[in-house]
Amino acid sequence: MDPPRSTTRAKATARPQGSGLAFWPFGVRAAVLLAPVLLVVLAVAWGAARTWLGMESVSAGWVLLAIVALSLLPVLLVVLSGVASGGGTVELGTVKIALTAAAGSRRGLAVPRNVVPERGVPLAGPGAAEAVTSLRGLRGAEVVIVDLEDGHAWWEHRLLLLCAAAARLGRPAVVVFTAQREGGPGRFVGWASPADLLQRLQDGDPDLRKAYLEASGQAAGVRLAEASGPAPSARLMKELGLEGARRLTHPPPREALNPFLEEQLLARGLDRFDAAPEEIDVPRLLALFTPVLHTRALERSDDDAAWLRAALLDEGEYVAFTDAGRYTGIMSGAAVARAALLALLPPGA
């Protein structure tokens, strides 16, 4: 016998007791608090597993991405519950606006032309100090922008100086290239890590590689002498090719070891390239860096659904954003997923 109609209706509309959320019965607060706990626990577990199983050489990229995704699972279930309770509709345009705004806040710092703030200043003499001052101001940034402009703004050896400093210091982590293209300035060309750019520049020019290795060797010699006892002797400085360069290695007034020693010596060694520099325009950039240059970007004018799908499925470490081809910002893949989920949370959650 069929059950009474009222009983059938009651079963169909039944909801999980407790939070009232269809896919997560523990409440929004619990989901938000659990996410960082899961992230830490899973990261520690992965670190321990790598050590115990002898997997130190295994790339952690995909594993870390999976850890981030799993840690955000409670928040995703809350989002799905909100979507289900609202009839299953999602305002994709709202998510797109939120992601674009979040990327814009991570646009990055613009690097002065050729590293030196004043155009045309050579690296010889005070120019090297100015270059190091510029690099010092960029070390706290995650992203920097190198604007090639019309192809006459940057030289290869000056870009090497920037990338060498970033690779040694670990910041900035990303270099974004823009240029004047199709009649407009600031058009996105691509992004890459400083370490990859540094290696490609050395591979492409043996003279640049020699200058880089010489400066690195000199800095290592000075640091080793400093760690072993008193400041390097005049004899050692002469052997290292640094006779008369004490103001660079131990600048006044403190005369302590220069924290930017490698960059100061590299700038000194690169000054001879200023006489006949190799300019970087877009074709030259692509010829040098295509194997390591990420040229994909999310274009704001694209269809909302396709745009969001591309954002969430992008497998790169970073995702670039553009508006009519003009660079607007960049975010890490994990930050994109997090910002998308936050934008989908129901009001008041």
Side-chain angles (χ1 to χ4, degrees):
M1 179 182 294
D2 292 336
R5 188 180 302 272
S6 60
T7 304
T8 303
R9 182 180 298 113
K11 290 181 179 179
T13 57
R15 295 272 184 176
Q17 296 297 315
S19 68
L21 299 174
F23 303 107
W24 179 260
F26 306 109
V28 175
R29 181 180 178 84
V32 173
L33 292 177
L34 183 59
V37 174
L38 278 175
L39 181 63
V40 172
V41 171
L42 291 172
V44 170
W46 165 239
R50 290 186 75 189
T51 301
W52 292 340
L53 299 177
M55 301 170 61
E56 289 86 352
S57 61
V58 176
S59 175
W62 283 105
V63 177
L64 294 177
L65 187 61
I67 287 174
V68 172
L70 286 174
S71 66
L72 291 174
L73 184 59
V75 179
L76 177 59
L77 293 176
V78 171
V79 171
L80 292 176
S81 299
V83 172
S85 65
T89 60
V90 178
E91 291 294 335
L92 297 181
T94 301
V95 179
K96 189 178 189 179
I97 292 172
L99 277 178
T100 302
S105 68
R106 295 170 172 83
R107 175 181 170 83
L109 295 178
V111 186
R113 282 181 173 185
N114 269 334
V115 183
V116 180
E118 235 181 285
R119 188 169 188 176
V121 175
L123 286 178
E130 290 186 30
V132 172
T133 299
S134 294
L135 297 174
R136 190 192 304 268
L138 299 172
R139 62 180 172 174
E142 181 181 10
V143 180
V144 292
I145 305 168
V146 170
D147 189 5
L148 302 179
E149 300 179 14
D150 59 357
H152 302 293
W154 274 84
W155 301 336
E156 288 184 23
H157 65 284
R158 297 291 184 91
L159 181 60
L160 177 87
L161 179 60
L162 168 64
C163 295
R168 185 181 76 87
L169 299 171
R171 276 289 188 270
V174 181
V175 178
V176 174
F177 292 99
T178 61
Q180 183 172 329
R181 305 176 78 182
E182 300 173 358
R187 296 300 195 264
F188 175 73
V189 182
W191 66 267
S193 72
D196 287 341
L197 297 172
L198 175 62
Q199 188 60 55
R200 294 291 300 178
L201 283 166
Q202 293 183 73
D203 292 344
D205 190 330
D207 291 332
L208 286 182
R209 179 177 179 81
K210 181 180 178 183
Y212 171 75
L213 293 177
E214 284 181 350
S216 299
Q218 289 172 334
V222 173
R223 288 190 183 278
L224 182 60
E226 190 84 7
S228 302
S233 63
R235 179 180 177 182
L236 177 60
M237 293 287 281
K238 183 177 181 179
E239 291 175 351
L240 291 173
L242 297 175
E243 188 175 16
R246 185 170 178 80
R247 289 180 63 87
L248 299 180
T249 61
H250 297 75
R254 294 180 56 202
E255 296 191 353
L257 187 64
N258 189 342
F260 285 82
L261 178 63
E262 285 79 1
E263 291 71 44
Q264 194 76 68
L265 296 180
L266 181 55
R268 176 177 180 264
L270 292 174
D271 64 354
R272 60 191 177 89
F273 292 89
D274 282 350
E278 291 286 345
E279 293 183 329
I280 306 178
D281 56 11
V282 173
R284 180 59 179 162
L285 184 82
L286 297 177
L288 281 169
F289 304 124
T290 287
V292 299
L293 192 67
H294 302 261
T295 57
R296 289 180 55 189
L298 296 177
E299 172 54 48
R300 186 168 184 171
S301 61
D302 289 346
D303 172 75
D304 288 355
W307 187 94
L308 183 57
R309 187 180 300 109
L312 296 177
L313 294 179
D314 195 300
E315 297 178 357
E317 187 178 358
Y318 285 85
V319 181
F321 293 73
T322 58
D323 188 356
R326 189 181 180 90
Y327 170 71
T328 57
I330 194 169
M331 297 172 68
S332 68
V336 168
R338 186 165 56 247
L341 288 174
L342 289 174
L344 287 170
L345 279 174

